[in-house]
Amino acid sequence: MDKITFTRLELYNLVWKFPIIQIAKHYEISSMGIKNACEKMQIPLPGSKHWIRLNYERKSIPKLSGDYKGNSQISILRKMYESPLRKTARSTPLIALIESIESDSKAPSKVLEFLNNPTGIIRKTQNYWNHAELNRNVSETPEEIIQLSVDQKNTNRALRFMDALIKLLEYRGHQFKKSNDNRDIILMHKEIEIDIHLREALKRIPPKTNKDSADYIFTGEFILQIKKGSYKKEWRDGKLPLENNLTAIVAKLELIAVEEKQWKEASF
């Protein structure tokens, strides 16, 4: 299930800077989930009258208890209204945006069976993987190469998916780029950066003897993860392959960017 993880300090700072209902809306989690998390982590909460007072009338913020011995992080389940497999009687902003993207006949919203005129970074990544034997001793991923954590036999599928994703994002006015520390990021609306990573799930093979170590093998299941601050979301192969979620992924990225922009504007 989709979760969002906070450190104790992050959650403490949030609940004393913004009303819980605003935090819940921004992160798509329930107000009760936030309150329960604060109770578990011994985080004091503002009283109901705190937010109706002027800034200079508000009491000083209580400090975090130093006696807390629990976990330093906590995960809160996100609301699942955006699940593409869930049937709903009414539309949501996500569903409406997905339908808008899919109704655009000019939008490159399909993953092709073969690479066709790939983007520059896809060509460079393909060349890198084609020469993987020569590059096996390279300790760091070269600049301008997408970081793909997949079995080499599945690189063609990974490249086709990422090529389609990048082209659809660019068509929508966004940009795929490398960060200064070599992370793969999506630049939404030329200002909101969201980390993105495609990987293949691993399966642990138990050791045969006590002297052996466990082994890990690729399963063929693709997982795409996006990350913005403490917020994370994943799409993975399931009843439908990851390729079927292309428009949903782009729509979700755009909604995250819009909320992040509104969040920043409200913070000043």
Side-chain angles (χ1 to χ4, degrees):
M1 299 183 73
D2 205 0
K3 300 178 181 179
I4 181 166
T5 302
F6 300 93
T7 65
R8 186 171 182 243
L9 183 59
E10 282 177 340
L11 194 54
Y12 166 79
N13 288 333
L14 278 173
V15 297
W16 284 96
K17 188 174 183 180
F18 303 100
I20 285 181
I21 190 171
Q22 187 175 346
I23 301 170
K25 181 179 179 181
H26 177 73
Y27 288 103
E28 298 175 352
I29 54 182
S30 70
S31 298
M32 185 57 65
I34 297 173
K35 292 178 181 178
N36 289 341
C38 289
E39 182 179 353
K40 289 180 181 179
M41 302 189 86
Q42 298 179 15
I43 298 173
L45 290 172
S48 58
K49 295 182 179 180
H50 176 80
W51 301 108
I52 63 175
R53 295 190 178 103
L54 298 176
N55 287 337
Y56 68 87
E57 294 178 332
R58 292 174 182 171
K59 297 180 180 179
S60 58
I61 299 175
K63 295 182 179 180
L64 279 173
S65 171
D67 297 328
Y68 176 73
K69 304 297 182 182
N71 295 329
S72 60
Q73 293 185 335
I74 193 166
S75 295
I76 303 175
L77 287 175
R78 294 186 59 248
K79 297 177 181 178
M80 299 302 292
Y81 69 85
E82 76 270 28
S83 172
L85 299 178
R86 179 177 175 180
K87 295 182 179 179
T88 178
R90 62 187 181 88
S91 181
T92 66
L94 182 68
I95 293 174
L97 188 51
I98 292 172
E99 292 175 347
S100 174
I101 296 173
E102 293 179 345
S103 66
D104 184 349
S105 60
K106 295 182 179 180
S109 57
K110 301 293 183 182
V111 179
L112 303 179
E113 294 184 7
F114 303 96
L115 277 176
N116 181 21
N117 191 25
T119 61
I121 195 168
I122 292 295
R123 284 198 303 270
K124 292 178 181 179
T125 306
Q126 183 183 37
N127 183 64
Y128 175 80
W129 279 88
N130 286 341
H131 296 84
E133 190 67 21
L134 297 176
N135 294 325
R136 62 185 177 186
N137 293 323
V138 176
S139 60
E140 297 181 358
T141 304
E143 294 182 2
E144 298 303 317
I145 298 297
I146 296 178
Q147 298 183 37
L148 299 174
S149 303
V150 301
D151 193 347
Q152 189 166 359
K153 67 181 181 181
N154 291 325
T155 54
N156 182 263
R157 181 192 173 195
L159 290 170
R160 288 188 291 107
F161 175 80
M162 290 302 298
D163 187 55
L165 178 60
I166 292 171
K167 286 176 178 176
L168 182 55
L169 284 165
E170 290 179 345
Y171 177 82
R172 301 282 296 176
H174 314 300
Q175 180 185 1
F176 179 93
K177 60 179 291 187
K178 303 290 290 189
S179 67
N180 293 333
D181 57 354
N182 208 31
R183 292 177 293 112
D184 294 339
I185 60 174
I186 304 295
L187 187 62
M188 307 295 294
H189 304 300
K190 300 181 180 180
E191 59 177 311
I192 306 297
E193 293 186 354
I194 301 176
D195 286 73
I196 188 167
H197 181 58
L198 179 65
R199 62 186 174 90
E200 186 176 341
L202 294 170
K203 180 180 179 181
R204 182 179 182 273
I205 306 299
K208 294 181 180 180
T209 67
N210 293 334
K211 295 182 179 180
D212 296 329
S213 58
D215 196 8
Y216 292 85
I217 60 172
F218 287 108
T219 63
E221 178 187 1
F222 274 22
I223 303 170
L224 183 77
Q225 182 186 80
I226 60 172
K227 183 176 183 292
K228 179 62 181 176
S230 58
Y231 171 76
K232 294 180 182 179
K233 179 170 177 59
E234 290 184 347
W235 292 266
R236 61 173 64 212
D237 289 331
K239 292 183 178 179
L240 297 174
L242 185 62
E243 287 83 348
N244 285 46
N245 282 316
L246 188 65
T247 53
I249 292 167
V250 172
K252 186 61 180 177
L253 285 166
E254 291 187 352
L255 290 180
I256 292 172
V258 169
E259 279 204 14
E260 185 68 22
K261 187 174 181 180
Q262 293 174 345
W263 179 267
K264 286 183 176 181
E265 291 173 351
S267 300
F268 291 102

